């Protein structure tokens, strides 16, 4: 590694979602407020305010995101067909839900006990990404 290359942040978990969003720096700031994300690495923005990579920790896992770069074959596409699910403890889910909604997430499915026996709900963030929260019901 040369002196110009920063040390890599540790990747947590075995599967890492990598989101392409319109406004990765703003999304990372939002995820800090809404989901308690911790930023562990980010490339500085280019002259258009875009970044190619931000590495976050959320709920003990890694989440990576970057902006679209249409001039390099990566145009922006709206988020669709997936949900990021947070597995939480029964004592934690209400606080996580409130923080996300208070930060500006839109409620898609209210938090409720589902047919499989857990409390579950879904929100959508201002960048179009669906987030679900799941926790066992207190016994």
């Amino acid at each position: 590694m040369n002196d110009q290359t920063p040390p890599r942040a540790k990747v947590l978990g075995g599967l890492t979602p990598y989101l392409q969003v319109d406004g990765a720096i703003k999304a990372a700031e939002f995820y800090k407020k809404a989901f308690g994300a911790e930023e562990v690495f980010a490339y500085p923005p280019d002259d258009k305010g875009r970044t190619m990579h931000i590495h976050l920790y959320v709920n003990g896992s890694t989440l990576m995101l970057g902006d679209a770069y249409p001039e390099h074959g990566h145009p922006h596409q709206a988020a669709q067909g997936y949900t990021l699910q947070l597995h939480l403890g029964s004592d934690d889910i209400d606080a996580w839900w409130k923080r996300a909604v208070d930060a500006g997430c839109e409620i898609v499915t209210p938090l409720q006990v589902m047919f499989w026996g857990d409390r579950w709900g879904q929100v959508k963030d201002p960048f179009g990404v669906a987030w679900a929260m799941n926790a066992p019901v207190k016994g």
Side-chain angles (χ1 to χ4, degrees):
M1 198 176 334
N2 66 37
D3 292 337
Q4 303 299 317
T5 305
R8 290 186 181 180
K10 182 178 179 178
V11 175
L12 304 178
L15 178 65
T16 302
Y18 204 116
L19 305 178
Q20 179 268 311
V21 295
D22 186 16
I25 293 170
K26 288 180 182 175
E29 289 304 312
F30 181 81
Y31 296 158
K32 290 175 191 177
K33 291 179 194 146
F35 303 110
E38 174 190 352
E39 186 174 300
V40 292
F41 181 80
Y43 280 106
D46 66 10
D47 59 353
K48 295 180 181 176
R50 304 174 302 180
T51 183
M52 62 182 282
H53 180 74
I54 298 175
H55 185 154
L56 303 173
Y57 291 158
V58 180
N59 192 35
S61 296
T62 286
L63 173 64
M64 297 183 183
L65 55 147
D67 282 292
Y69 284 84
E71 68 273 26
H72 296 293
H74 298 280
H76 177 65
Q77 297 177 5
Q80 61 182 357
Y82 65 89
T83 301
L84 300 180
Q85 182 148 305
L86 296 162
H87 295 275
L88 304 165
S90 59
D91 292 333
D92 302 326
I93 193 166
D94 290 307
W96 277 75
W97 184 264
K98 181 176 180 353
R99 180 177 58 196
V101 172
D102 288 351
C105 285
E106 169 193 343
I107 297 173
V108 176
T109 304
L111 191 57
Q112 59 193 291
V113 177
M114 300 303 283
F115 65 90
W116 59 86
D118 290 345
R119 289 183 70 210
W120 185 91
Q122 186 179 54
V123 295
K124 185 183 287 187
D125 73 32
F127 302 90
V129 178
W131 295 75
M133 297 184 198
N134 193 88
V137 174
K138 288 184 184 183

